[in-house]
Amino acid sequence: MHGPKAGIHGWGAYIPIYRLPLSEIAKVWGWSPEQYESLDVVEKAVASSDEDSVTMAYEAASNAIKRAGIDPKKIGAIFFGTESKPYAVKPSATIIGEALGITPYTMASDMEFACRAGSEGLRSLIGMVDSGLVEFGLAIGSDTAQANPGDVLEFTAASGAAAFVIGPSENASAIVEDSVTFVTDTPDFWRRATQPYPLHGEGFTGEPAYFYHIENAVRALLEKTGLKPGDFDYAIFHQPNGKFPVKVGKGLGFTIDQMKDGLVTPMIGNTYNASALMGLAKVLDKARPGEKILLAPFGSGAGSDAYYIRVTDSIEERKALAPSVGDYLDRKVLIDYGMYSKARSIMHVIK
Amino acid sequence: MAMDLSISRFWRKKVSVYRLYGSRCKACGKVHYPPKKACPYCGSRDLELIELPKRGKLLSYTTIYAVPEGARPKSPVYFGLIDLGITKVVAELTDVADKNSLKEGIEVEAVLRRTREDRDSGLIYYLLKFRPVMVHR
Amino acid sequence: MAVYIEGVGLTKVGRHYSLSIKDLAAQTAFNAIEQVGGPEGIDYLIFSSALAPLQDNQLDIAGYVSSYIGLRGIRALNVEAGEASGLAAIAIAKSLLESHQADKVLVIGAEKLTEYVSSKAYKQLQMLYDSDLRSFYNIGFAGDAALLMRLYMNTYNVDRETLSYWPALMHSNAKENPYAMLRFAIKPDKVSKSQILADPITLLDAYPIGDGAAAVVVSSKDVVKTPLVKVTAIESSTGLGGIELLDDPLIFDSLLSAYRKLSSIADISQIDFMEIHDSFTIVAPIILESIGLAERGKAPELIAEGHFSLNGDKPLINPSGGLKARGHPIGATGVYQVAESALQISGEFPGIKVDNAKRGLVISLNGLGSNSYVALLEGV
């Protein structure tokens, strides 16, 4: 049985200008280089002191709308996936919607599912578009990923955003042909409301969480669609570091060749809700009509989605309408741990 | 509760400051920002709201170290005069990694950023700032 | 119709931690009142303060000062026009006298800027500029003038070091003025090397943060007994007030307009000296160019060559040391300018004396010209 279908009309990403080399973190906390070299990440993207998940979402979504070429007022739902909301209570989605000229006749909400909240928004919109509830919807994943300073998580927790305008299959750049979601109660990573940083179960985040959920979601999608790993041109997985996505992909039967274009974490770290979705944006920047993409975001707590996406003819005309992920990857300024502490409010400044 | 930032004063202006809405005078044709109730040039009240271009040229700029209270964590503050073609605006500048990169005539583009935050209540003002334009292949 | 200044009180601009705004007001008011032989006949108090609600947590400052200085029952009103408040207060006093609403008006300009830390003063002084947009940003008090300074330097190809002759000249004048805050000489090359406030504006390019008060008694022709000077005419004009709104930001539109109005009602050709509003180094040349005392882009060069100074041709500019070095207690400044000019014309100014000074011009404006006031003072 095929699920509902919808199209990706526009895609957009945002990566802040600053990059912190992992060696800076190691220097401050006394780690040896081997500690971070094994993560296969060189630098992480750091949002400036005037940025947050909302401002990054604004730019990624603005790029997506430019590519979609639609009047923002046609967007009937904004789903904002993040685990770094500026306000614990008060929707971020309304700020984004107002700034982009989407309000007032739209649904708008902030989703929470650790790193796959943005993907939950994406999958929800497929159904909402297919049912006719909305003509277009905006799904965003954006995070100024937090980590306890000195925790191993600090090496990879990075900032970035990705956004997609979802609409009818007609005239779409790519069509989401099918999708599956697989979730269980698995406490591998969490943050209580008053804690500034998320904490994790260390090795428990691996096998019982990341690998178990992605593997099950992807296998279920392959079974449902009758496709084999070799049928896809690209495979994109959630990327907490450079190692995990390659390992999970290989285990499922995908090759490095299929995975390399969707990897962004090795260059900029783990942007949490934007992690796999930015990989998709990067692949769409390159993909040719007719190519097939497998996308598998993951969120702790825990769950994974698996999508089968097919690129259409109209992708080519959309590519140049906004900056590519590559443009943002190229735009970078290296900073030290002091600047990073200032940018992310790790140092306490009395205003 | 101590609160330094006004909720309503910002809320009233949100469309203008989020989306760079200015006013065009139907009598003399001049554009100004943010919108007033009459044209500051000819006095006509026959105005229309227009969305201004979000890209322009930097005419002048400064790096402010004598920052007002509340701004210490974001110091220094970059501020510029920008020519949008149909009108000029002033705005904070951002993503200035090296202040020597600020030069007259460079292209700048509007991006949404945080400007002020209330110390006790945490209310945030989001505003358009301008940054040197991204190279877009 | 001219009105007459017959009593003057001045306090040194500075950090008066031991005195409140009301104490400063009292000190200067008592001096001015003493010179006119006592408070009898004074029938109006015009107060001038812009920051009293913020620095002193006081509204109706004029009402409260009246009883604080023993004038309970007098009619009293505060006048606020930002940095131009002081000269606006004199203008209001003149109108009251001319319309026979009063015969003898006590004008007090007083301001505290040091009741809080400087970052709070910077935030309050940001209010001198249009709050519609700027209040959502973190610009402080020097951002707009910094944009203007760079624009001026680039447009006219004037270098930073040439502009530095202005603050050096002001310090040199203020050295002789007992009411000045910064009574020390500086070399021009020191200006660019001092602490940067808002690039290219340095600490020595900006007015100092200080408290002060000045008072004058202004009388009508009918009651004046011992006039120091007559206030022949005052004019004012509003302007766009924002560097972004002006097609030509290097001329203050409101000042040009006020100056033209004044020249249409009074002869302002033979001026011996001026007290102008040099809040920042860059504001001085733009004022001089706006009123035609220098060709556009040429004022800094003239200043560097020694024009406008004691050894130059008339008019001499800012014998007091100006806002730059005498100091700029916002709402009090215009009253300082008038009080010092009155003493200059009557030959009693205890600082730099202008030879045979008969006619002086006072220029005051808010921000970059939301409001400009121009006054002509003449000997009697």
Side-chain angles (χ1 to χ4, degrees):
Chain A
M1 184 195 84
H2 270 279
K5 279 194 204 178
I8 296 172
H9 284 250
W11 69 97
Y14 175 73
I15 303 167
I17 192 168
Y18 296 112
R19 302 285 192 284
L20 180 69
L22 268 49
S23 56
E24 279 288 316
I25 300 170
K27 195 164 74 187
V28 169
W29 297 103
W31 299 104
S32 64
E34 294 77 34
Q35 183 68 41
Y36 64 84
E37 281 167 8
S38 66
L39 297 167
D40 279 351
V41 178
V42 185
E43 295 157 3
K44 68 171 189 171
V46 177
S48 177
S49 57
D50 63 358
E51 295 185 280
D52 59 25
S53 55
V54 165
T55 66
M56 296 193 303
Y58 165 87
E59 184 157 343
S62 149
N63 287 334
I65 293 170
K66 276 180 204 160
R67 284 206 174 92
I70 59 161
D71 177 355
K73 296 278 179 214
K74 286 191 168 176
I75 292 172
I78 306 162
F79 290 142
F80 178 57
T82 186
E83 54 180 282
S84 44
K85 280 160 67 87
Y87 292 102
V89 174
K90 194 245 169 275
S92 299
T94 55
I95 305 172
I96 298 161
E98 192 87 46
L100 290 169
I102 298 169
T103 52
Y105 293 103
T106 182
M107 293 170 67
S109 62
D110 300 359
M111 306 277 222
E112 199 290 304
F113 195 117
C115 295
R116 71 165 277 279
S119 176
E120 181 98 339
L122 177 64
R123 190 153 192 247
S124 305
L125 284 175
I126 293 165
M128 288 165 65
V129 164
D130 195 58
S131 72
L133 182 65
V134 298
E135 187 180 1
F136 290 96
L138 180 61
I140 312 168
S142 177
D143 265 304
T144 50
Q146 313 112 324
N148 199 12
D151 188 304
V152 65
L153 194 63
E154 191 187 19
F155 282 121
T156 49
S159 302
F164 302 89
V165 173
I166 306 301
S169 299
E170 297 76 53
N171 299 319
S173 310
I175 292 166
V176 185
E177 296 282 357
D178 213 338
S179 54
V180 167
T181 298
F182 180 90
V183 304
T184 71
D185 176 15
T186 304
D188 60 318
F189 179 105
W190 64 89
R191 179 170 71 81
R192 296 290 299 269
T194 56
Q195 288 174 333
Y197 308 115
L199 300 170
H200 54 88
E202 301 172 355
F204 188 74
T205 58
E207 282 306 328
Y210 180 86
F211 292 97
Y212 176 71
H213 291 85
I214 291 182
E215 283 162 7
N216 277 289
V218 172
R219 284 191 185 117
L221 181 81
L222 295 178
E223 190 174 322
K224 193 176 172 199
T225 57
L227 292 165
K228 295 183 290 296
D231 294 331
F232 290 93
D233 299 282
Y234 306 96
I236 307 153
F237 302 97
H238 178 60
Q239 303 158 30
N241 51 50
K243 276 237 155 23
F244 276 25
V246 175
K247 189 177 169 195
V248 80
K250 280 185 175 166
L252 284 163
F254 294 91
T255 64
I256 287 286
D257 224 34
Q258 288 167 294
M259 292 187 273
K260 65 179 195 308
D261 289 313
L263 284 174
V264 281
T265 288
M267 286 88 90
I268 61 162
N270 179 11
T271 54
Y272 285 21
N273 267 285
S275 179
L277 297 184
M278 200 182 304
L280 174 60
K282 186 164 174 280
V283 162
L284 291 173
D285 285 340
K286 183 190 181 190
R288 301 284 172 206
E291 289 186 324
K292 296 187 180 71
I293 302 166
L294 174 110
L295 170 72
F298 164 81
S300 289
S304 175
D305 307 293
Y307 298 88
Y308 159 38
I309 298 164
R310 188 174 51 79
V311 179
T312 74
D313 291 345
S314 71
I315 195 160
E316 298 296 351
E317 67 206 51
R318 314 275 173 93
K319 285 178 180 172
L321 299 178
S324 66
V325 173
D327 290 332
Y328 285 104
L329 289 171
D330 290 346
R331 183 192 78 130
K332 65 171 179 176
V333 171
L334 296 182
I335 57 172
D336 60 14
Y337 200 92
M339 280 295 288
Y340 160 69
S341 302
K342 179 186 170 191
R344 293 289 87 226
S345 300
I346 293 169
M347 59 170 78
H348 179 66
V349 182
I350 296 170
K351 292 177 183 173
Chain B
M1 180 181 73
M3 199 161 166
D4 292 332
L5 262 55
S6 166
I7 300 171
S8 55
R9 190 144 52 89
F10 181 75
W11 173 79
R12 276 197 301 275
K13 293 273 179 204
K14 65 177 191 279
V15 170
S16 156
V17 301
Y18 280 166
R19 292 163 62 193
L20 217 59
Y21 269 55
S23 268
R24 189 204 328 253
C25 175
K26 291 184 183 173
C28 74
K30 292 193 68 119
V31 177
H32 66 272
Y33 174 85
K36 300 179 191 291
K37 289 294 177 200
C39 173
Y41 303 99
C42 76
S44 166
R45 292 181 215 158
D46 196 7
L47 304 173
E48 59 180 341
L49 274 186
I50 57 162
E51 194 165 353
L52 303 180
K54 293 193 178 56
R55 200 170 160 141
K57 277 198 165 64
L58 194 59
L59 293 174
S60 189
Y61 54 90
T62 178
T63 307
I64 300 169
Y65 300 92
V67 295
E69 63 173 1
R72 179 59 48 200
K74 293 185 172 69
S75 178
V77 171
Y78 302 96
F79 183 48
L81 173 67
I82 298 132
D83 186 0
L84 298 177
I86 54 172
T87 191
K88 293 180 282 188
V89 297
V90 289
E92 277 190 31
L93 306 174
T94 191
D95 286 356
V96 182
D98 170 9
K99 68 172 183 165
N100 295 321
S101 68
L102 291 178
K103 299 247 185 296
E104 296 76 26
I106 64 164
E107 294 266 336
V108 290
E109 61 191 343
V111 289
L112 190 74
R113 294 296 168 98
R114 286 185 187 203
T115 55
R116 299 183 61 193
E117 285 167 60
D118 193 74
R119 274 183 287 187
D120 284 352
S121 76
L123 186 79
I124 304 164
Y125 282 174
Y126 288 97
L127 231 67
L128 293 183
K129 294 186 180 181
F130 281 77
R131 71 162 179 223
V133 292
M134 251 189 77
V135 181
H136 174 179
R137 283 189 300 237
Chain C
M1 188 170 72
V3 296
Y4 298 83
I5 289 173
E6 53 177 344
V8 161
L10 284 156
T11 301
K12 178 182 157 72
V13 181
R15 298 189 183 107
H16 292 289
Y17 296 121
S18 61
L19 299 172
S20 71
I21 187 172
K22 292 167 191 162
D23 294 334
L24 287 166
Q27 213 171 61
T28 53
F30 292 162
N31 279 335
I33 291 169
E34 197 178 311
Q35 284 168 44
V36 297
E40 293 71 31
I42 295 176
D43 50 8
Y44 222 120
L45 167 63
I46 296 294
F47 204 89
S48 167
S49 166
L51 298 175
L54 302 167
Q55 285 273 333
D56 311 287
N57 303 327
Q58 185 66 70
L59 288 169
D60 190 22
I61 182 75
Y64 288 99
V65 164
S66 300
S67 57
Y68 198 81
I69 64 173
L71 297 178
R72 183 171 74 137
I74 195 171
R75 292 175 291 174
L77 177 70
N78 185 55
V79 170
E80 191 273 304
E83 295 175 282
S85 298
L87 204 48
I90 304 279
I92 295 297
K94 185 167 181 286
S95 299
L96 290 169
L97 296 169
E98 285 170 347
S99 59
H100 305 290
Q101 298 296 306
D103 283 322
K104 215 178 258 291
V105 180
L106 172 63
V107 179
I108 309 174
E111 204 84 275
K112 292 286 294 184
L113 273 82
T114 64
E115 297 288 31
Y116 297 92
V117 293
S118 56
S119 62
K120 191 180 272 294
Y122 297 158
K123 187 174 157 198
Q124 293 170 350
L125 292 167
Q126 184 176 318
M127 298 181 198
L128 299 171
Y129 302 88
D130 195 343
S131 71
D132 261 7
L133 179 69
R134 286 167 174 79
S135 66
F136 306 132
Y137 286 129
N138 293 303
I139 302 161
F141 80 121
D144 279 85
L147 294 183
L148 187 64
M149 183 162 170
R150 193 181 301 281
L151 198 64
Y152 185 97
M153 288 161 59
N154 287 336
T155 305
Y156 297 133
N157 200 19
V158 170
D159 72 26
R160 208 274 80 103
E161 299 305 323
T162 308
L163 286 164
S164 300
Y165 282 85
W166 178 263
L169 174 62
M170 289 303 100
H171 275 252
S172 157
N173 291 355
K175 200 161 164 273
E176 313 301 322
N177 180 359
Y179 307 119
M181 181 165 175
L182 307 177
R183 301 190 63 194
F184 54 91
I186 55 162
K187 292 228 162 63
D189 63 4
K190 209 181 151 194
V191 178
S192 64
K193 295 180 184 72
S194 69
Q195 185 193 339
I196 301 170
L197 299 182
D199 173 25
I201 290 178
T202 68
L203 188 67
L204 289 173
D205 282 310
Y207 61 90
I209 301 290
D211 315 319
V216 293
V217 175
V218 195
S219 303
S220 68
K221 196 171 194 294
D222 305 334
V223 303
V224 66
K225 285 181 190 141
T226 54
L228 290 168
V229 64
K230 70 176 171 187
V231 182
T232 310
I234 305 184
E235 263 301 349
S236 71
S237 174
T238 50
L240 291 168
I243 183 172
E244 71 278 24
L245 292 170
L246 289 158
D247 289 331
D248 180 2
L250 302 181
I251 291 288
F252 294 134
D253 63 335
S254 57
L255 174 59
L256 180 60
S257 158
Y259 189 78
R260 280 181 180 155
K261 287 184 194 177
L262 188 76
S263 63
S264 73
I265 58 165
D267 171 19
I268 48 173
S269 55
Q270 301 286 311
I271 300 295
D272 299 305
F273 73 96
M274 290 187 185
E275 285 292 340
I276 69 166
H277 180 93
D278 58 328
S279 47
F280 296 93
T281 293
I282 189 58
V283 179
I286 296 183
I287 288 177
L288 297 176
E289 291 167 20
S290 295
I291 63 170
L293 267 194
E295 276 179 49
R296 301 192 55 175
K298 298 293 180 212
E301 205 178 306
L302 294 177
I303 294 161
E305 287 168 358
H307 292 265
F308 313 120
S309 70
L310 193 55
N311 306 319
D313 298 334
K314 283 184 175 178
L316 195 155
I317 312 286
N318 288 2
S320 68
L323 280 61
K324 174 66 222 40
R326 176 235 292 113
H328 180 29
I330 310 299
T333 299
V335 186
Y336 269 92
Q337 290 175 305
V338 167
E340 287 165 330
S341 298
L343 294 177
Q344 188 65 255
I345 292 170
S346 69
E348 295 162 71
F349 185 61
I352 291 217
K353 285 195 172 60
V354 181
D355 266 356
N356 200 23
K358 294 264 190 328
R359 289 152 59 79
L361 205 66
V362 176
I363 292 175
S364 182
L365 48 114
N366 179 60
L368 298 180
S370 65
N371 227 325
S372 285
Y373 280 79
V374 186
L376 173 66
L377 274 61
E378 293 180 287
V380 285

